[in-house]
Amino acid sequence: MNPKRCAACKYLRRRCPKDCIFAPYFPPNDPAKFACIHRIYGAGNVSKMLQQLPDQTRAEAVESLCFEAKCRVDDPVYGCVGIIHLLQTQIQNAQNELAKTQAEVAVAQTKVGQTQNSDQFM
C-alpha cells in the first residue's frame, strides 16, 4: 500500500496518479469522506462534476457534496430537505413566540400607562 494515495484511490484500489482529481480534496487520513460521497454519487460522477468546475470552487463543491451525501445517508427519503424543513419550522416557531411576547409587552405597557394616568387624577 502506497501511503501517498488519496482516500479516493485507496477506496477504489487503484494507483493515485500525479494529476489525480480527487487528491486535493480527499486526503488519505479521511477515507470516510470519500466513501460516503462515492456511495451516493459514484466516483465517476464526482470526477465529472469536479472536472467541470473551476479550480477555485472545487473544494467548496466537495464540502457541499459531502454534506449532502451524509444527509442522504442519515435520511434517505428527505436528505438535506429534511434539515431545511426542520430549520424553517424552528424559525416559524421562534417568530410566533416573538410576536406573542411583543404583544404581551404591548399589553403590559398599556396597563402601566393606564395605571399612571389614573394615579395622576387622584
Side-chain angles (χ1 to χ4, degrees):
M1 295 289 271
N2 183 359
K4 295 182 182 181
R5 291 189 306 167
C6 68
C9 290
K10 281 184 180 181
Y11 186 86
L12 299 171
R13 296 179 181 169
R14 66 180 192 189
R15 285 187 28 225
C16 192
K18 289 184 180 183
D19 61 342
C20 178
I21 190 88
F22 299 120
Y25 315 107
F26 300 103
N29 61 351
D30 192 6
K33 183 176 180 181
F34 179 77
C36 186
I37 289 176
H38 176 66
R39 178 178 172 192
I40 300 300
Y41 299 107
N45 290 330
V46 174
S47 176
K48 288 175 192 173
M49 283 188 250
L50 292 177
Q51 288 172 350
Q52 292 175 355
L53 293 172
D55 290 345
Q56 63 270 19
T57 60
R58 288 179 181 174
E60 191 172 336
V62 167
E63 292 305 314
S64 179
L65 288 171
C66 185
F67 177 76
E68 291 177 22
K70 286 179 182 176
C71 289
R72 184 60 63 182
V73 167
D74 293 342
D75 186 354
V77 175
Y78 293 108
C80 291
V81 176
I83 293 173
I84 292 168
H85 184 296
L86 176 68
L87 293 173
Q88 287 175 335
T89 303
Q90 289 176 352
I91 289 169
Q92 186 63 45
N93 290 341
Q95 288 173 336
N96 292 342
E97 190 171 332
L98 175 63
K100 180 181 172 186
T101 304
Q102 287 173 333
E104 290 173 357
V105 167
V107 167
Q109 287 175 341
T110 303
K111 286 182 181 178
V112 168
Q114 289 174 350
T115 305
Q116 289 175 350
N117 287 341
S118 65
D119 289 344
Q120 290 175 348
F121 294 119
M122 290 185 158

